[in-house]
Amino acid sequence: MRTQTFISSMVLSVACVSAANAAVVYDTIDPFTDAAFDSSATAPNGVVTSTLTGSIYESRFMRARTNSSTSSSSSITIGSGSMVFGVTRVGAASTSVGANQTAEFDYFPNYTGLSGPNFTNFTSITFNFASNFDGILKCRISFFDAVNGPVEKTMTGASGSMTFSLADFGGFGENTPSMDGMNITFTRSSSNADGSLTITNLLANGAVVPAPGAIALLGAAGLVGAARRRRD
């Protein structure tokens, strides 16, 4: 009986260790490793397109905009693992609500190969930021196939991290678990003063997925325990 108890405990212990070692799924939305640039001053209506590597998406469309070219210009600079959204004042200093600048990103899967990202275990989108903007800074994220509309949150402080959870989006729509594209937009308003926002570690996070042998080992522990009870 001591042998049975030992085997049961050993199987259960191995299963628990295996489950504990199971990793959370992290998928990169944008590694920001390519060199890309856009400016509202030089291309106010332009879109810069990039093919991504190391991303759950195949391509990125980005555009920098400002609602008044006489008050400020905005730019996006990507490279070395970060995105920098910068604003340069053109006119006089202003705290007008109408002084808005945006950095907008559209991410698209491989429509030709029909290989969209798999969001089966999706829990949240997270990123880190550092900013010296004044005024109001917001981030809005929308999935093209989400149940609810865009989710917008205010970014506060000089640095930190932001989280957009599955609950924020109200779940996913008809395409679950293979998702369509998504949009991320950063908006600075109520000021045209010089400043910048830096974004890193833009990730789609997933739920814990047990290691392949963990469930089988737990099942084996249960069978050993059941056999022991019958013999007892």
Side-chain angles (χ1 to χ4, degrees), residues 46-123:
V47 176
V48 175
T49 304
S50 300
T51 299
L52 301 178
T53 56
S55 168
I56 57 177
Y57 288 103
E58 182 184 55
S59 60
R60 175 215 308 129
F61 290 9
M62 72 176 193
R63 61 193 68 79
R65 293 178 175 172
T66 181
N67 70 338
S68 175
S69 61
T70 61
S71 66
S72 61
S73 65
S74 56
S75 64
I76 302 171
T77 304
I78 287 178
S80 302
S82 67
M83 182 282 290
V84 179
F85 168 34
V87 171
T88 302
R89 188 176 73 232
V90 174
S94 171
T95 56
S96 168
V97 175
N100 296 342
Q101 308 89 25
T102 60
E104 186 173 359
F105 304 86
D106 288 325
Y107 293 96
F108 298 101
N110 183 348
Y111 288 115
T112 301
L114 299 178
S115 56
N118 192 324
F119 280 78
T120 302
N121 300 300
F122 173 80
T123 57

